[in-house]
Amino acid sequence: MSGLYIHIPFCVKKCNYCNFHFSTQFKYKPQLITAIGKELTLRKNELRTPLESIYFGGGTPSTLTFEELSHLFTIIRQHYDISQTTEITFEANPDDLNEEYLTFLKEQTPINRLSIGIQSFIDEDIDFMNRTHSAKDGITCIKLAKSLGFDNITIDLIYGGQTTTNERWMYSLEKAISLDIPHISSYALTVEPKTAFEAQIRKKIISHIDEERQSYQFEILRKKLTEHNYIQYEFSNFGKENFFSLHNSSYWKNKPYLGIGPSAHSFNGTNKRSWNISNNIQYIKSLENDSLNSYEEFISEKDRFNEKIMLGLRTIWGINILELEREFSSDLMKHFYKELKFLEADNKVLVNKNIVTIHPHSLFFTDGIIAQFFFVD
């Protein structure tokens, strides 16, 4: 089974934390949607298995008009096997999800999962991030989506920001729980290069991130959601039973996926990765000439090893030692066992029936533990 990702690189406004590829200029949007449709057609034979999931990400997919989204689904149905597609996710901003738009998604498209960029239920946090919606917008659109029959909803929440006190963080979590949202993706605020936050910190307009507070809020997150029957199946993702993200799980399980649109990445499931140019105009021009401006690389054994460690240890499924032994050389396994011995002794990882997972007490330090396993020449 495979996944299909479609990148819609437009946003009404730039969030202060975001370094994804997008544009706030909509001048070339019609041409870009045409180009995405052409790329879907040109690459129709790359996936060898039926689609298990489709994911519209961005950017902001909810900037698409009814006609644009219908056009893309027409092409997908023409060229891809969606007979076994069980999850179709659509990212959206709360202020886009009015009754007319939600009714269209429900009645005129096969979309069955909404990913709503809430980020917080506190207006001060939302303003700090430079989002376009309000806390009231977030609550309203969730209630409306549920009333129209969308029961598979995930929201994003961000913790650890300069305005997010422990009390505010607890309020946002309790509000999400009270709205009976079955899946929550929650991320610590990070300061990425070339973002507004990075510039503001450099100019001392705002303070640096308080990592101790982030660690404390991470533990609040885990405790609160676990108490309400959410399962932390990946470091940043919490889902109730039967509501794990199929599409994102395919990334963590190294399944093949096809990425369509500027900056989108693809993976063949074994040893090749490719990605499209992160420039809307150049992307459009190349597809006007029936070609694709993209790059590719073949993944070395060392990099495949590191990726398998990184992806596996972020999830409850962990790393299967027997699978590693079948896939990788004795030199890599010698390194693995050496690091495993130290990390297990320090109670940073657990080993149970040949499965390695992060120790619950060390989850906030997952990235550092993963780095210790990495094989570096």
Side-chain angles (χ1 to χ4, degrees):
M1 302 291 285
S2 306
L4 175 64
Y5 173 82
I6 301 173
H7 188 76
I8 307 300
F10 295 102
C11 289
V12 174
K13 195 175 184 181
K14 182 172 184 177
C15 299
N16 286 339
Y17 55 82
C18 184
N19 69 342
F20 291 164
H21 171 69
F22 69 93
S23 174
T24 57
Q25 302 299 315
F26 286 64
K27 180 179 179 181
Y28 296 101
K29 183 165 171 264
Q31 294 95 315
L32 194 133
I33 300 305
T34 298
I36 287 176
K38 184 170 284 189
E39 185 187 359
L40 280 165
T41 303
L42 287 174
R43 304 182 71 186
K44 62 184 180 181
N45 296 320
E46 287 191 29
L47 295 176
R48 304 297 182 184
T49 54
L51 290 178
E52 179 181 39
S53 64
I54 301 172
Y55 195 104
F56 287 84
T60 311
S62 53
T63 58
L64 291 173
T65 65
F66 298 169
E67 293 76 15
E68 289 165 344
L69 188 54
S70 297
H71 169 70
L72 294 179
F73 271 119
T74 296
I75 294 172
I76 291 169
R77 288 188 177 100
Q78 285 176 344
H79 299 301
Y80 293 82
D81 182 355
I82 61 171
S83 61
Q84 299 179 53
T85 305
T86 55
E87 179 187 275
I88 303 178
T89 302
F90 188 76
E91 286 187 355
N93 278 346
D95 43 321
D96 292 330
L97 295 181
N98 56 35
E99 184 171 1
E100 182 184 18
Y101 204 95
L102 281 165
T103 300
F104 166 74
L105 295 180
K106 185 65 179 176
E107 296 181 357
Q108 303 297 323
T109 78
I111 290 165
N112 56 17
R113 183 173 184 265
L114 296 178
S115 176
I116 307 175
I118 297 291
Q119 315 309 350
S120 175
F121 288 105
I122 299 287
D123 281 328
E124 289 84 353
D125 291 345
I126 295 168
D127 292 341
F128 178 69
M129 296 181 223
N130 202 38
R131 300 283 292 165
T132 59
H133 68 281
S134 67
K136 183 180 178 181
D137 291 333
I139 295 168
T140 299
C141 80
I142 290 168
K143 289 181 176 179
L144 184 58
K146 290 170 72 71
S147 73
L148 292 172
F150 284 102
D151 57 357
N152 194 352
I153 297 174
T154 179
I155 67 170
D156 290 344
L157 292 176
I158 293 179
Y159 61 91
Q162 288 87 332
T163 61
T164 308
T165 63
N166 294 338
E167 293 75 20
R168 286 177 174 178
W169 179 230
M170 181 65 80
Y171 174 85
S172 282
L173 289 173
E174 289 176 344
K175 178 58 69 174
I177 292 165
S178 71
L179 289 167
D180 194 25
I181 297 164
H183 188 283
I184 297 172
S185 296
S186 190
Y187 308 94
L189 183 70
T190 55
V191 181
E192 302 293 344
K194 300 180 180 180
T195 62
F197 277 157
E198 189 270 339
Q200 290 169 3
I201 289 175
R202 179 165 32 85
K203 296 174 183 178
K204 299 183 179 180
I205 297 172
I206 62 174
S207 62
H208 285 274
I209 295 292
D210 184 340
E211 293 186 3
E212 185 174 334
R213 179 146 56 95
Q214 286 196 337
S215 176
Y216 185 75
Q217 291 183 3
F218 176 73
E219 292 306 324
I220 292 175
L221 168 71
R222 292 186 61 238
K223 183 175 185 296
K224 194 69 178 176
L225 293 188
T226 301
E227 286 174 352
H228 288 82
N229 301 315
Y230 289 86
I231 301 166
Q232 187 181 14
Y233 69 103
E234 193 269 344
F235 179 79
S236 300
N237 286 271
F238 299 76
K240 292 190 175 180
E241 191 171 358
N242 300 320
F243 284 97
F244 295 179
S245 168
L246 289 178
H247 187 84
N248 289 337
S249 294
S250 71
Y251 295 155
W252 305 319
K253 294 180 179 181
N254 281 300
K255 293 183 180 181
Y257 56 87
L258 182 64
I260 301 293
S263 82
H265 285 60
S266 302
F267 175 59
N268 70 353
T270 54
N271 66 344
K272 190 177 83 168
R273 183 188 296 108
S274 62
W275 59 98
N276 293 342
I277 190 168
S278 298
N279 182 294
N280 289 357
I281 300 300
Q282 292 184 38
Y283 174 82
I284 291 168
K285 287 183 176 179
S286 67
L287 283 156
E288 285 176 345
N289 295 316
D290 294 322
S291 64
L292 184 63
N293 195 334
S294 63
Y295 311 88
E296 67 177 37
E297 67 175 357
F298 286 91
I299 308 168
S300 67
E301 182 190 30
K302 179 200 74 174
D303 288 340
R304 285 193 297 110
F305 171 84
N306 289 343
E307 286 188 9
K308 197 170 187 74
I309 296 293
M310 177 185 68
L311 296 171
L313 281 181
R314 289 183 62 91
T315 72
I316 59 171
W317 304 294
I319 302 166
N320 188 315
I321 296 175
L322 298 181
E323 284 185 7
L324 289 183
E325 290 182 339
R326 286 194 296 268
E327 291 184 40
F328 299 107
S329 68
S330 59
D331 286 344
L332 286 173
M333 292 309 301
K334 186 185 298 183
H335 163 79
F336 173 79
Y337 281 119
K338 176 185 174 183
E339 298 303 325
L340 179 63
K341 180 180 178 180
F342 289 124
L343 290 166
E344 188 177 14
D346 286 344
N347 288 324
K348 292 182 177 179
V349 298
L350 295 173
V351 182
N352 182 29
K353 297 181 180 179
N354 289 306
I355 302 297
V356 182
T357 55
I358 300 291
H359 194 291
H361 299 310
S362 298
L363 278 170
F364 186 72
F365 306 101
T366 292
D367 287 345
I369 295 168
I370 288 170
Q372 288 182 250
F373 271 116
F374 282 172
F375 185 88
V376 181
D377 291 334

